[in-house]
Amino acid sequence: MPLYEYECETCGIRFERKQRMADAPLRTCPECSGPVHRVIQPVGIVFKGSGFYCTDHRTSSGATL
C-alpha cells in the first residue's frame, strides 16, 4: 500500500497515511478537522543502460543526431 502525505490548510501540520490506491483521499485533518490536501513529492528517476545519450552507439562516420 502506498504512503501518502497530507498537509492541513488550517493548522499546517503534515501527516502520512497508508491507503490503497482505490481509496478516496482524506478530506479532514485529524487534529483540527480542517481541510487537507495531498502533498505531491518529486520522484527521482535513474536511467541505466545504453541508449540515453546521443554519444551512445554513434556511427563510425561521426554524424550527430
Side-chain angles (χ1 to χ4, degrees), residues 3-40:
L3 188 66
Y4 293 106
E5 184 174 358
Y6 291 91
E7 183 175 14
C8 178
E9 296 175 10
T10 304
C11 65
I13 68 162
R14 284 189 173 202
F15 59 96
E16 296 177 340
R17 289 291 183 265
K18 226 183 240 191
Q19 294 179 298
R20 293 187 178 118
M21 294 180 79
D23 291 347
L26 297 179
R27 302 258 183 228
T28 59
C29 175
E31 297 288 325
C32 70
S33 299
V36 297
H37 65 272
R38 191 179 287 174
V39 178
I40 305 297

Side-chain angles (χ1 to χ4, degrees), residues 23-62:
D23 291 347
L26 297 179
R27 302 258 183 228
T28 59
C29 175
E31 297 288 325
C32 70
S33 299
V36 297
H37 65 272
R38 191 179 287 174
V39 178
I40 305 297
Q41 299 291 333
V43 178
I45 299 174
V46 177
F47 295 105
K48 293 185 179 183
S50 61
F52 295 105
Y53 300 98
C54 63
T55 57
D56 289 346
H57 305 292
R58 182 178 283 184
T59 61
S60 60
S61 65

